């Protein structure tokens, strides 16, 4: 760092030297020390005697001078050489300098200024001038510095300025000047050192000969205009040029290769009051093309800031840059560079800012970047980078800004990430694992954006204590756990987005986030009521709470006065806000509160009196204990779930007309619930809910939805989405409704595999099924397969193993050997059941078919036919469909049966993972689709 600082100091010094030289050359002496030939006390005559009095009075007359800077001293009874901000030459009372920088003058420039024929310095920087630049300034043949920047001057640049042939510094930047740069501007400007026309509205081409006669030029800033066309070649032939800024124009064409061969070029830009080092050969808005010379001709040894961003440069990142030892800032973002991230960048010891985003960089982030100890900003976003974020980035102690978004990065977030204070942006990658606790130490950090990854575990509590944090976006990950009770550490937070995770718990009852404008907690599993204080957060204008388990009254006022139903839907038990279509909050029925406790379902379901299917799991059913109120004496339910009473009514007292299916430890009934809403929710005891949590959180297209639960000591029920088209048993083993074709069966198996993959790998906790079989695969109205009964063994019996004692003869055929004999349930035992089911689907033979006796199991039967006689085990109905020869058919069938065999290996270790099963099946489907 010390060397960097030195570089930064040296250049302003050089500049100061140049400026001193300039000032000395102009024969200007500051007025305070200026000996003047005019008699100081001479009352009136001295002022009028000068030919310059008239022009100065004319200048004063056209401005309003609100601070009165001129009013007191610019009076005719004092010599003009004593007027404030006016300097005269040694020999005559002629004005050589008029310097009023930062004085608000507010007015137009008079053309009489052109009469100050001895004027050498005219500095009216930042004086609120408007109107046009008088053409008469072209008559000031002795003018060396014309400094009119940071005003509101408009109109065209007068071509007559080209006549001022001793001009050295011309700064007209930051005005509203328009039209083209006049070609005459620098025809006689052999002395010009600096031209700054930046931040105006100049248009047209840069005159090709503009820099032909300016051999001393060392500073050019034409940035932020509307200039178009090519960069004149003459720019590159200026032997002393040190600074060139053409950024923010509409320039196009190929950059003259000589531009990359300016040995003195190092770059200077005037920002505020200090000279800093920035070189922008070109930047955003331009449309420059062609490769930057990759080798050899790239010769900018003094360069310390190169900005080529936002153009169409292509090819590889020029290795010539490695010969720029003083390089501090390199910005080549948003071009078409195709390359790996060069490791030679790690040799640039002063590199401070590195912006390579928006190119086609591939490979991984080099670990040697850990050598760039001066680096404060690193942007590699929007490339094709893969691999992990190297832990070595943690060595970058000065890094404040890390932007790696929109790549293919995987793996965990390294636990050490320097001193980030501005931005940590890793969104849209494939990162997984937890957020390292150490991120909570980055107390200066302002932005954390980790959305759209596969990050999981709880969110470190320390993250909510980052007092400087403005934006926190953790959406679209798999973060679990509860929201912290106290968010008030995020004092500066403007935006908090935690949507689409699996967060639990309730919204904290209060937090003093007075700056908060946006809060998105949608698509989580957040419960409880919506705290009323959210309506008190003055700046909160965007609130999204949809798809959670919130209940009770929707508050009024504040953000809720403009909220739309989209921000609240998907919460089964909200009420109030009737204009949004929510039902009114009913008063609690006080007369006999024991009598009625009613189901709250999603509003849509509630109002159509949905047909729902009720699974009843009854271990010990004491019907006789039901008292007149419809509740069992042991009923300890205080929370709002379906009551036994409701179910009794809905299923016509569990009438045998209604069962949909019977298992050894459960019965399935179809029922119609009439629903009434009771919004006076009592404090919930959530023991059963907690157990059900995994099930209710499991949301997948191919899983049956758990809508609600009902439980007491003796009785447990799950209310499930109704599946009108029955189970897979029916089409597989009965001929009555036609049969499933090969592709349909493959689709069903894929659907089931995706549901199982989700339970095993995609959910925030592993859910074992323990009882996968065709009767647990149900079809909705579109014949999409949904897996039912998942996780039920754990829910009801504590774990899968208890199921063995409650085992049913019909299910044994699907049980993995180690599960049946040793009681070892695992993901791999589910894979076994899946494999058996797959074999059943394509053979239409139940694993307990009478033909499978003794040593002969369905697996062995298929195995002995594999691979050449598979047509002999295929479901006969599929065989009849087949048009191909037996030989082709066996070839066709072998991948699917092979998968079934692989899933049903005796050894759990040899069975595939569910995630690999899905991949294999999808590939298979593609190749089948191509071959038919
Ligand atoms: C400036 O010079 C022009 C002619 O060169 C003259 O007409 C004008 O009056 C002069 N202005 C002042 C204020 O002397
Ligand atoms: C311009 O002048 C005003 C005072 O009139 C001052 O406050 C402001 O900082 C100046 N702007 C710059 C960029 O120096
Ligand atoms: C930029 O340049 C390319 C190639 O010369 C051209 O195809 C494209 O239209 C240009 N884009 C704009 C915005 O001028
Ligand atoms: C990184 O630093 C180490 C130790 O200072 C040095 O040996 C190595 O050559 C450096 N790597 C690069 C690419 O500069
Ligand atoms: C909201 O603000 C009002 C008025 O300032 C106050 O009375 C009320 O207690 C606040 N409510 C909450 C929940 O903070
Ligand atoms: C509601 O919207 C109106 C109109 O868009 C706006 O003026 C008002 O400030 C908003 N109120 C709140 C609390 O956001």
């Amino acid at each position: 760092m010390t060397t960097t600082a030195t570089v930064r100091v040296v250049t302003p010094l050089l500049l100061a030297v140049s400026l001193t030289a300039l000032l000395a050359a102009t024969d200007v002496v500051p007025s305070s020390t200026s000996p003047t030939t005019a008699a100081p006390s001479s009352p009136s005559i001295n002022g009028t005697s000068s030919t310059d009095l008239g022009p100065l009075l004319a200048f004063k007359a056209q401005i309003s001078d609100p601070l009165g800077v001129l009013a007191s001293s610019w009076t005719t009874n004092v010599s003009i050489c004593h007027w404030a901000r006016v300097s005269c030459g040694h020999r005559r009372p002629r004005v050589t300098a008029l310097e009023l920088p930062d004085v608000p003058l507010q007015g137009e420039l008079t053309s009489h200024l052109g009469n100050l024929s001895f004027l050498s310095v005219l500095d009216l920087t930042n004086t609120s001038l408007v109107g046009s630049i008088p053409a008469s300034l072209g008559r000031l043949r002795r003018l060396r510095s014309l400094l009119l920047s940071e005003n509101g001057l408009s109109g065209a640049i007068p071509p007559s300025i080209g006549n001022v042939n001793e001009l050295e510094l011309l700064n007209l930047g930051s005005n509203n000047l328009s039209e083209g740069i006049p070609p005459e501007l620098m025809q006689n400007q052999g002395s010009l050192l600096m031209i700054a026309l930046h931040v105006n509205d100049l248009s047209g081409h840069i005159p090709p000969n503009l820099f032909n006669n300016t051999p001393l030029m060392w500073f050019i800033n034409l940035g932020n205009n509307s200039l178009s066309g090519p960069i004149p070649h003459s720019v590159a032939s200026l032997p002393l040029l040190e600074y060139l800024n053409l950024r923010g124009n509409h320039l196009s064409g190929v950059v003259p290769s000589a531009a990359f061969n300016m040995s003195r070029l190092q770059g200077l830009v005037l920002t505020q009051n200090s000279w800093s080092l920035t070189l922008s050969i070109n930047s955003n808005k331009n449309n420059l093309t062609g490769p930057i010379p990759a080798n050899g001709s790239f010769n900018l040894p003094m360069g310390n800031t190169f900005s080529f961003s936002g153009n169409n440069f292509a090819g590889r990142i020029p290795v010539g840059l490695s010969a720029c030892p003083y390089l501090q800032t390199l910005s080549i973002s948003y071009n078409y560079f195709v390359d790996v991230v060069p490791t030679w960048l790690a040799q640039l010891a002063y590199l401070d800012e590195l912006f390579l985003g928006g190119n086609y960089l591939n490979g991984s982030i080099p670990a040697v970047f850990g050598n760039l100890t001066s680096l404060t900003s690193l942007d590699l976003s929007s490339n094709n980078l893969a691999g992990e974020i190297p832990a070595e980035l943690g060595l970058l102690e000065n890094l404040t800004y890390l932007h790696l978004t929109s790549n293919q990065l995987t793996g965990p977030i390294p636990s050490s990430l320097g001193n980030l204070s501005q931005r940590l942006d890793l969104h849209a990658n494939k990162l997984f694992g937890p957020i390292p606790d150490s991120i909570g130490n980055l107390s200066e950090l302002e932005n954390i954006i980790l959305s759209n990854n596969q990050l999981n575990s709880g969110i470190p509590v320390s993250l909510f204590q980052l007092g400087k944090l403005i934006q926190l976006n953790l959406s679209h990950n798999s973060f679990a756990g509860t929201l912290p009770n106290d968010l008030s550490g995020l004092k500066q937070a403007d935006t908090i987005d935690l949507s689409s995770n699996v967060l639990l718990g309730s919204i904290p009852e209060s937090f003093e986030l007075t700056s908060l404008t946006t809060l998105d907690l949608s698509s989580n599993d957040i419960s409880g009521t919506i705290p009323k204080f959210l309506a008190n957060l003055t700046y909160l204008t965007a609130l999204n709470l949809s798809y959670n388990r919130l209940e009770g009254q929707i508050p009024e006022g504040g953000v809720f006065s403009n909220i739309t139903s989209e921000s609240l839907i998907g919460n089964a038990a909200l009420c109030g806000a009737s204009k949004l279509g929510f039902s009114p909050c009913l008063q609690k029925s006080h007369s006999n509160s024991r009598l009625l406790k009613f189901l709250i379902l999603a509003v849509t379901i509630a109002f159509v009196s949905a047909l729902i299917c009720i699974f009843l799991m009854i271990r010990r059913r004491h019907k006789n204990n039901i008292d007149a109120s419809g509740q069992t004496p042991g009923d300890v339910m205080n929370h709002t779930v379906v009551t036994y009473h409701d179910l009794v009514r809905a299923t016509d007292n569990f009438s045998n007309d209604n069962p949909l299916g019977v298992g050894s430890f459960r019965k399935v009934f179809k029922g119609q619930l009439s629903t009434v809403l009771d919004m006076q929710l009592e404090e919930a005891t959530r023991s059963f809910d907690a157990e059900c949590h995994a099930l209710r959180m499991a949301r997948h297209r191919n899983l049956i939805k758990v809508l609600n639960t009902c439980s007491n000591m003796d009785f447990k029920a799950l209310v499930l989405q109704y599946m009108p088209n029955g189970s897979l048993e029916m089409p597989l083993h009965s001929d009555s409704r036609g049969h499933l074709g090969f592709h349909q069966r493959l689709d069903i198996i894929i659907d089931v595999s995706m549901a199982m993959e989700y339970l095993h790998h995609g959910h925030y906790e592993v859910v074992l099924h323990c009882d996968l079989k065709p009767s647990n695969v149900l079809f909705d109205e579109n014949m999409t397969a949904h897996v039912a009964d998942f996780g039920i063994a754990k829910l009801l019996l504590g774990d899968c193993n208890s199921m063995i004692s409650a085992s049913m003869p019909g299910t044994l055929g699907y049980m993995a050997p180690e599960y049946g004999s040793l009681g070892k349930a695992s993901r791999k035992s589910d894979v076994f059941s899946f494999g058996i089911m797959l074999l059943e689907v394509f053979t239409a033979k139940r694993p307990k078919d009478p033909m499978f006796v003794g040593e002969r199991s369905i697996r062995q039967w298929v195995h002995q036919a594999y691979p050449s006689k598979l047509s002999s085990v295929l479901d006969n109905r599929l065989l009849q469909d087949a048009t191909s020869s037996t030989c082709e058919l066996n070839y066709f069938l072998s991948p699917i049966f092979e998968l079934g065999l692989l899933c049903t290996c005796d050894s759990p270790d040899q069975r595939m993972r569910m995630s690999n099963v899905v991949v294999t099946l999808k590939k298979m489907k593609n190749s089948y689709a191509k071959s038919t």
Side-chain angles (χ1 to χ4, degrees):
M1 275 318 276
T2 45
T3 326
T4 309
T6 312
V7 172
R8 282 197 158 156
V9 170
V10 162
T11 310
L13 277 182
L14 284 177
L15 179 69
V17 169
S18 327
L19 281 175
T20 313
L22 283 175
L23 292 172
T26 58
D27 197 14
V28 171
V29 184
S31 53
S32 55
T33 60
S34 158
T36 169
T37 54
S41 58
S42 185
S44 64
I45 311 303
N46 283 319
T48 46
S49 71
S50 171
T51 47
D52 289 343
L53 178 65
L56 287 180
L57 288 176
F59 170 74
K60 186 184 169 190
Q62 288 225 42
I63 55 171
S64 61
D65 183 24
L67 297 187
V69 174
L70 308 187
S72 55
S73 88
W74 284 33
T75 54
T76 47
N77 56 357
V78 179
S79 156
I80 54 165
C81 295
H82 287 269
W83 289 10
R85 317 294 181 110
V86 175
S87 308
C88 294
H90 290 284
R91 292 180 293 277
R92 315 177 186 88
R94 295 300 304 270
V95 176
T96 54
L98 179 57
E99 294 168 287
L100 289 153
D102 299 333
V103 176
L105 299 175
Q106 298 185 355
E108 300 198 11
L109 283 176
T110 171
S111 64
H112 295 294
L113 281 179
N115 294 17
L116 296 172
S117 48
F118 280 71
L119 199 66
S120 177
V121 175
L122 179 59
D123 184 356
L124 301 174
T125 305
N126 184 28
T127 51
S128 308
L129 294 172
V130 293
S132 56
I133 299 175
S136 63
L137 296 187
R139 304 210 309 263
L140 300 172
R141 297 301 163 88
R142 292 184 173 84
L143 199 60
R144 297 193 174 191
S145 296
L146 179 55
L147 307 174
L148 301 178
S149 63
E150 291 163 63
N151 283 298
L153 296 169
S154 53
I157 298 173
S160 61
I161 292 185
N163 300 332
V164 186
N165 56 14
E166 292 183 13
L167 201 61
E168 289 168 353
L169 304 178
L170 174 62
N171 190 349
L172 307 179
S174 299
N175 279 293
N176 297 325
L177 300 171
S178 54
E179 301 184 31
I181 299 176
E184 303 87 353
L185 188 62
M186 281 190 277
Q187 248 157 32
N188 304 309
Q189 304 286 17
S191 310
L192 202 65
L193 303 172
M194 163 183 163
I195 178 168
L197 307 177
H198 57 281
V199 195
N200 276 294
D201 195 23
L202 300 171
S203 54
H205 289 199
I206 302 176
N209 302 328
L210 194 68
F211 306 113
N212 276 6
N213 302 311
T214 56
L216 302 178
M217 187 78 83
W218 54 258
F219 183 107
I220 299 171
N221 189 353
L222 305 180
N224 295 83
N225 278 291
S226 302
L227 299 167
S228 56
I231 298 178
H233 283 248
S234 55
V235 161
S237 60
L238 298 171
L240 303 180
L241 192 66
E242 291 187 3
Y243 175 83
L244 176 61
N245 184 347
L246 302 174
R247 85 171 77 191
N249 281 291
H250 308 302
L251 301 171
S252 57
V254 176
V255 179
S257 60
F260 299 100
N261 200 7
M262 292 185 274
S263 57
R264 296 177 63 106
L265 200 60
Q266 71 177 16
L268 286 169
V269 108
L270 192 56
T271 42
Q272 285 140 13
N273 296 317
S274 60
W275 296 93
S276 70
L277 305 167
T278 303
L279 167 71
S280 302
I281 290 214
N282 38 65
S283 181
N284 53 358
K285 274 211 242 163
N286 286 324
N287 192 15
L288 298 161
T289 58
I292 291 182
N295 298 301
S297 59
F298 203 99
N299 179 23
L300 299 166
M302 300 307 289
N304 52 52
T305 301
F306 294 147
S307 172
F308 311 139
S309 58
N311 282 295
N312 294 331
F313 293 121
R316 301 186 58 187
I317 298 175
V319 71
L321 288 170
S322 65
C324 302
Y326 303 114
L327 200 60
Q328 289 177 16
T329 296
L330 176 62
S331 175
I332 58 170
S333 300
Y334 294 94
N335 280 291
Y336 294 87
F337 289 107
V338 181
D339 206 342
V340 295
V341 182
T343 51
W344 50 256
L345 286 169
Q347 297 161 16
L348 300 172
Y350 302 128
L351 207 57
D352 172 10
E353 298 177 304
L354 181 57
F355 300 107
L356 307 180
N359 283 291
Y360 294 92
L361 305 182
N362 51 47
S364 54
I365 302 173
V368 288
F369 273 20
N371 277 17
L372 290 169
T373 48
S374 299
L375 207 61
T376 62
S377 299
L378 177 60
D379 181 354
L380 299 170
S381 62
S382 301
N383 280 294
N384 297 324
L385 299 174
E388 300 197 359
I389 302 173
E392 284 81 356
L393 292 191
L395 299 171
L396 304 178
E397 285 182 358
N398 294 310
L399 199 65
T400 63
Y401 178 104
L402 180 61
H403 195 31
L404 305 178
T405 185
S406 301
N407 279 291
Q408 312 283 328
L409 298 168
T410 59
I413 300 174
S415 60
S416 156
L417 277 177
N419 254 332
L420 295 181
S421 57
Q422 294 179 42
R423 194 178 185 88
L424 172 63
D425 191 344
L426 308 177
H427 83 264
N429 276 291
K430 296 174 175 170
L431 301 170
F432 54 79
I435 298 182
D437 281 339
S438 55
I439 292 208
N441 298 339
L442 302 174
S443 56
E444 301 292 309
L445 195 55
E446 292 176 355
N447 297 280
I448 298 183
I449 302 145
L450 304 177
S451 49
N452 294 86
N453 279 291
Q454 292 144 25
L455 297 165
N456 56 29
S457 301
I459 304 170
V461 176
S462 56
L463 214 60
F464 297 99
Q465 300 300 327
L466 294 174
K468 300 271 177 73
L469 206 61
I470 294 169
Q471 184 186 14
L472 176 63
N473 188 344
L474 305 180
S475 64
H476 296 276
N477 277 291
S478 301
F479 290 114
T482 55
L483 283 174
N485 286 332
D486 186 9
L487 296 177
S488 52
L490 297 174
K491 290 187 181 59
Q492 308 284 331
D494 171 276
T495 301
I496 298 178
D497 186 351
L498 305 178
S499 62
S500 298
N501 281 292
V502 281
L503 297 169
L504 300 169
S506 51
I507 304 175
E509 267 313 306
S510 79
F511 47 81
E512 297 282 309
L513 299 185
T514 43
S515 318
L516 200 64
T517 66
T518 304
L519 178 64
D520 191 344
L521 300 175
S522 62
S523 299
N524 276 290
D525 196 31
I526 295 166
S527 52
T529 54
I530 303 178
K532 289 198 169 52
F533 78 90
L534 287 175
N536 274 15
L537 297 177
T538 326
Y539 297 105
L540 188 63
T541 51
L543 176 67
N544 191 350
L545 301 173
S546 59
Y547 298 101
N548 278 293
R549 288 168 44 197
L550 293 164
E551 60 198 18
Q553 174 116 35
I554 297 165
E556 287 167 3
V559 66
F560 297 98
S561 42
N562 280 357
I563 204 163
T564 61
S565 57
E566 282 74 34
S567 304
L568 295 168
I569 55 167
N571 288 291
L574 287 177
C575 67
S578 50
K579 68 180 176 190
L580 299 181
F582 288 86
S583 53
C585 299
L586 298 185
Q587 289 306 307
K588 187 174 183 178
S589 118
H590 52 273
S591 56
N592 188 352
S593 62
R594 286 186 66 217
L595 190 63
L596 296 173
K597 287 186 179 169
F598 292 110
L599 169 69
I600 296 166
L601 283 179
V603 176
T604 44
I605 296 172
F607 286 116
V608 297
S609 288
L611 261 188
I612 58 169
C613 162
I614 304 161
F615 277 92
L616 299 178
M617 291 72 194
I618 304 169
R619 269 189 294 174
R620 290 177 296 134
R621 211 169 116 200
H622 298 289
K623 263 189 178 174
N624 299 338
N625 285 351
I626 300 168
D627 68 14
S629 73
Q631 294 190 304
T632 62
D635 188 351
V636 290
M637 291 186 303
N638 283 324
H639 54 309
T640 307
V641 293
V642 192
T643 63
Y644 188 84
H645 179 88
D646 297 323
L647 298 182
V648 168
R649 280 198 314 206
T651 60
D652 195 10
N653 201 11
F654 304 110
S655 130
N656 281 337
D657 297 342
N658 277 330
L660 286 175
V662 183
S664 59
F665 76 125
R666 63 162 173 79
K667 288 187 176 183
V668 184
F669 293 88
K670 181 168 126 182
Q672 184 163 9
L673 287 184
S674 59
T675 60
V676 178
L677 301 178
D678 172 7
M679 291 304 165
Q680 290 299 98
L681 296 169
E682 295 173 41
E683 199 50 42
T685 60
R686 292 192 181 273
S687 58
F688 185 71
D689 266 3
E691 282 180 73
C692 288
H693 178 68
L695 273 63
R696 297 179 54 147
M697 278 314 299
R699 291 177 196 149
H700 187 276
R701 173 178 173 271
N702 300 114
L703 285 178
I704 199 162
K705 268 206 202 79
V706 178
L707 298 174
N708 220 315
T709 56
C710 167
S711 73
N712 61 43
M713 279 165 63
D714 295 330
F715 172 92
K716 287 177 168 42
L718 290 180
V719 181
L720 304 177
Q721 188 186 4
Y722 180 54
M723 291 285 137
N725 279 325
S727 81
L728 178 58
E729 276 277 317
M730 188 78 96
L732 214 48
H733 298 296
S734 107
D735 279 324
S736 58
R737 275 197 279 166
H739 76 90
L740 300 165
F742 182 83
H743 290 285
Q744 262 176 303
R745 295 185 201 209
L746 187 60
D747 284 341
I748 291 166
I749 279 294
I750 289 175
D751 281 346
V752 172
S753 71
M754 288 197 295
M756 292 304 296
E757 181 197 28
Y758 174 79
L759 291 175
H760 284 182
H761 305 291
H763 199 40
Y764 72 100
E765 66 186 51
V766 176
V767 178
L768 297 184
H769 192 295
C770 302
D771 197 15
L772 187 60
K773 54 186 176 181
S775 60
N776 279 334
V777 175
L778 306 175
F779 296 108
D780 66 15
E781 53 282 359
N782 304 318
M783 286 305 281
T784 301
H786 295 252
V787 171
D789 261 20
F790 51 92
I792 283 182
K794 175 128 184 281
L795 179 72
L796 293 179
L797 307 170
D799 58 28
C800 287
N801 299 339
S802 317
M803 221 166 109
I804 299 167
S805 54
S807 64
M808 314 125 261
T811 310
L812 268 178
Y814 302 90
M815 242 182 223
E818 77 281 2
Y819 181 23
S821 60
L822 305 172
K824 277 191 184 163
S826 66
R827 286 187 277 203
K828 289 297 176 68
S829 57
D830 276 351
V831 172
F832 184 93
S833 309
F834 173 84
I836 295 291
M837 197 172 90
L838 185 154
L839 298 181
E840 178 173 352
V841 163
F842 290 95
T843 60
K845 289 280 186 291
R846 290 192 172 93
K848 282 286 146 186
D849 190 283
M851 72 182 276
F852 303 125
V853 286
E855 289 295 291
R856 192 188 198 194
S857 67
I858 183 168
R859 181 180 196 273
Q860 271 156 329
W861 178 61
V862 171
H863 192 247
Q864 51 80 30
Y866 178 83
S868 54
K869 286 176 278 178
L870 286 171
S871 50
S872 68
V873 301
L874 188 68
D875 183 356
N876 272 330
R877 294 167 297 182
L878 289 178
L879 208 51
Q880 286 155 18
D881 293 348
T883 52
S884 30
S885 71
T886 313
C887 182
E888 278 170 351
L889 195 60
N890 283 323
Y891 179 73
F892 185 73
L893 292 174
S894 68
I896 187 76
F897 279 107
E898 184 185 351
L899 181 69
L901 294 173
L902 278 172
C903 289
T904 51
C905 290
D906 275 349
S907 156
D909 294 340
Q910 288 175 343
R911 294 174 210 150
M912 294 172 80
R913 284 162 57 91
M914 219 59 224
S915 43
N916 295 341
V917 169
V918 171
V919 173
T920 309
L921 280 168
K922 285 183 173 169
K923 280 188 191 155
M924 222 181 273
K925 183 177 167 159
N926 277 343
S927 64
Y928 283 146
K930 279 187 206 133
S931 65
T932 54

